[in-house]
Structures are given as structure tokens and as C-alpha cells.
Amino acid sequence: MLNSPPANEGDAAASAASAASGSPPRASRVHLRTIIAWITTLVVGVAVVVSAALVFLTSFINHTSELLAAAVESVRLAEEIEIDLLLHSRANDPLIQEDIAGDLRGKLAAAEQYVTTPAEAEVLRRAVAVVDAYLAGVPGDPRRRPDAAYAAVQQLVDVNVAQSIEAQASARRWNSLADAIGITAVALLVIVAGLLLWWLRARAFRPLWDIARAMETFGSGDLDARAVEAGPAELREVARRFNQMASALSAQRRAQMTFLGGVAHDLRSPLCTLRMAVSALDREAPPPDARTRVTMGIVARQTGQLERMVSDFLDIAKIEAGELELRMHGQDLRDLVHVVCEQFRGWSPRHPIELATQGVPVQIRCDELRIEQAITNLLSNAIKYSPDGGPVHVVVSSAAGEAVVAVTDRGVGMQPEDRRRIFEPFTRVGLSRESIPGAGLGLYIVNKIVIAHGGRVEVDTAPERGSTFRIHLPLAAPN
Ligand code: ADP
């Protein structure tokens, strides 16, 4: 089901409402490209800072872990040296002592590769000197003091333990710094993303939606629809150009309609004279031969058709100029529809009109002639677009504060995607437009009349299955 597009009157309000929907975005001098450049720079800046911090932190953590590994190795060697010193001092066999002394010297030499600070190098150098002095002394020599060698090696253990404690403390400090950098980076990114979303919504998307809405409203026939010129410079430029184009198109369309109205006005009198002359001729001096009678009939029918088209043109000119005057009266819609259906009865024997109305009055306020005109258009279309014949059902009902007239045919129907376009002037759709005559104005007028009454037109249709057109009108308030 599709609602008819709004017309000038309704849409003027709609576009005003669109302009005023919420608080319209403020015009800014900022360019979209400047904002995008700023945001990109900010995001890239944050990413570079965070990456640099990550590189720095990982190399520092690597360095700390190397320090810790060296300290652990130094402690392990120092403790082995201490054990060797103990074994050496207790061994009585000179051969075993010589073997242990070799081991000791080898381990002291190996300890050098794990030195990480000048202080540790100094402690190791002293330990090597004291251990060498111990090994060089002969038993009974006062310089041969295992406790002094043991103490010097213990110093090496102490230095490395102190270094590993310092490395751990430093690692903890850098860990806290890494946490702070990570949290700040995430907070910054969240703030940037939030600001970006807010800006996109308020300053970029809202104007964009307004432009899209204005385009849609304009496209559906409201020539007064204009976009709000707001937001970044580029979007304001798009809105300005759309407004210029819309003004040019609507001026052009109004000029065409004024011209059409003028031509229609001038055609009306000669056509009326022609129709009256034909009917007077037919009445006063009926043609004697069959051929002339047929010709006169054709002339009368074609003149009537021309008059209807001319009257459609005049109506359109009035609608476009906003001069569609309505003489509103209270009316039972059932009576009105009944009158129209009676006019159609017998019009085409292959299209029986079946009217169904509800038992209680369907009271509306309307311009009787205009609503009759709208229903007449729907009925004549139902017949016209059912070339193989078939009943036309007309139902009058009321529900939810609305009066509804539904006209259903079993004719050619339409593609669902065409339903919106058929309310535009001079628009004809489907294959039927080739074979069935028409100017594409009837539904445009129906729609405008119904909207001027505060109602709407809906369409249900399927190709080769027929169509239902529903006019919804507000029910009159009970007295
Ligand atoms: P016209 O009938 O003069 O072409 P309208 O404005 O009344 O102009 O209709 C516009 C178009 O809508 C028609 O050309 C036709 O393609 C389609 N249409 C209208 N009514 C029907 C209907 N009852 N069944 C199928 N198509 C319809």
C-alpha cells in the first residue's frame, strides 16, 4: 500500500517542518575537508605517539629482562664458586685441589660475560684478585684465607641481587607508565570517536538528511520544497545549488502551467460553442443518413473529451497557482458516491458498478463538486484500465476517524514501483499507456483535491490483477 505524495499545501508545511525539525544545524564556516584533515591528523598523531611508546617500552622490557637474566647467571656462578671454595679449603689431596682451582678460575672468567655495570666489574675484579691470592698461597700461608675469598665472591652475589631488585622496581615503574599511556590513548581515541560521531550527526548527517528529504519532497511534487542551507561549507553549497535548481524548475513549471492555463482558457469558449452547435444541430435537424449520424456522434464525443481535458488543464493551472478554492459543506459521503455511481451506471455495460455503503451516515465536510470530480476520475480510470471488462466495486465506510471510499477494478493493474509516480502530472505508466488514451492528469488532480481536504490517496495494485484506489478523508466532528 502506498500513500499519495503530499501536495503543495501539505508539503509547504512539511518542508517548513523539515527545516524546523529539532533545532536546525547551525551554519558553520568550517569545511568538511578541514574537519576530516583535523580528525585524521589527530588520529594519526595519537597512533604515532602510542606506537613510539610501545616500541620504547618493548625495548626497555627487553633490556630489563636481559639484566635480570645476567644477574641470575652471575648469582648462579658466584654460588658455584662459593661451593668450589668450600670444597677446595677442605680437600687434602693436592691433585683434587688443583682440579678445583682450575674450575674456580674458569668460572671466574665466565662470570665476566654477565657483568652489566662498572660497579659489578669492580666487585668481580676484586673477587678474582682475592681468589687468585687464596689459590696462590700454600697451606699454612697467612695469605691463604678462604673466608676472605668467600666474602669477596659473596659481594658479587649481593651486587647482582641488588641489581635484579633494582631492575624489577624499574620494570614496575615502566609498567605503570605503559598502563598510563594505554589508558590515555584509549581515552583520547574514545573522545575523538565520540566527537567525530557527534559532529557527523549534528553537523554533517543532519544537513545531509535535510537535503535528501527536500529532494524527495520536491521529487514527489512539492515545488516549494527547499533544503536548509546548513552544516559544513560543502553541504551548504550542495543545498544552495539544489535550491537554485529547484527554484529554476518550479519557475519553469509554473510558467508552463500558466501558459497551459491560458491556452485552455482560450480553447474553452470555442469548444463550448462547438459542442452546443453539434447538439443543437442534432436536436433541431437530426441528420437524415446513418453515416452523418455516426460522424456527428464522433464529433460530439471527441468534443466532450476535449472539454474534459481543457477543464483538467484549467484545474491544474489553478492548483499550481494555489488558487484551488473549496466551498466546504457538511455532506454524507454515501450520498455523494451514490450520485457519481448513478452517473456511471449504463455507461459501459461490460463494467457493472457495484456499490456497497455502511448503514450509518459517513459525515464529512467537503467541496461536493471537487470530491465528486475525484471519485468520477477514479471510476472512469477503473473502467478505462479494465479493457476486458469486469465489475467495478465501490465501497464507502468509516473507521478510526476517517471516511474511506475504495474503488476496485480487475483491470490491467500496475507495477508496484509505479504507484508513486502516477500522482505526478503528465505521468502515464505500464503498457496500457500505448493503447488507452489519456493525458496523465487525472490522478494528479484527484490527489491535490484530496490533500486540500486534509486527506490522502492510497493504492493497492498488481499487474494483470487490478487496482484499488482509496480516498481517505477526515470525518466531520459530530455537532
Ligand atoms: P490518464 O488516465 O489520463 O493517463 P491518470 O492521472 O488518471 O491519467 O492516471 C495516470 C496513470 O496511472 C495512467 O496512465 C495509468 O497508467 C495509471 N492508472 C490510473 N488508474 C489506473 C487503474 N485503475 N488501473 C491501472 N492503471 C491505472
Side-chain angles (χ1 to χ4, degrees), residues 381-382 384-385 409 412-414 422 427-430 432-433 437-444 467 469:
N381 273 356
K384 197 161 78 164
Y385 293 103
D409 63 63
V412 295
M414 275 173 271
I422 53 175
T427 303
R428 312 199 68 224
V429 299
S432 60
R433 67 171 181 260
L441 294 176
L443 288 179
Y444 172 76
S467 311
F469 284 78

Side-chain angles (χ1 to χ4, degrees), residues 96-145:
I96 293 177
Q97 280 193 331
E98 195 51 39
D99 192 30
I100 296 173
D103 250 18
L104 270 170
R105 288 196 184 89
K107 281 174 185 162
L108 280 168
E112 267 183 44
Q113 60 182 306
Y114 300 114
V115 168
T116 51
T117 63
E120 189 188 349
E122 176 59 27
V123 171
L124 179 62
R125 200 186 50 72
R126 239 181 317 118
V128 171
V130 175
V131 170
D132 276 348
Y134 163 72
L135 294 177
V138 288
D141 187 334
R143 285 182 301 155
R144 191 181 167 93
R145 290 177 49 210

Side-chain angles (χ1 to χ4, degrees), residues 185-242:
V186 168
L188 257 177
L189 283 178
V190 167
I191 291 171
V192 169
L195 282 176
L196 181 65
L197 281 179
W198 169 82
W199 180 84
L200 281 176
R201 212 182 128 67
R203 296 287 154 88
F205 283 141
R206 181 110 64 89
L208 212 54
W209 290 326
D210 280 341
I211 293 172
R213 203 167 24 222
M215 284 178 173
E216 195 186 354
T217 316
F218 187 85
S220 63
D222 178 4
L223 299 183
D224 294 325
R226 296 290 180 276
V228 181
E229 291 179 25
E234 289 87 346
L235 292 184
R236 275 184 290 124
E237 184 59 18
V238 172
R240 197 178 61 78
R241 291 201 183 178
F242 166 75

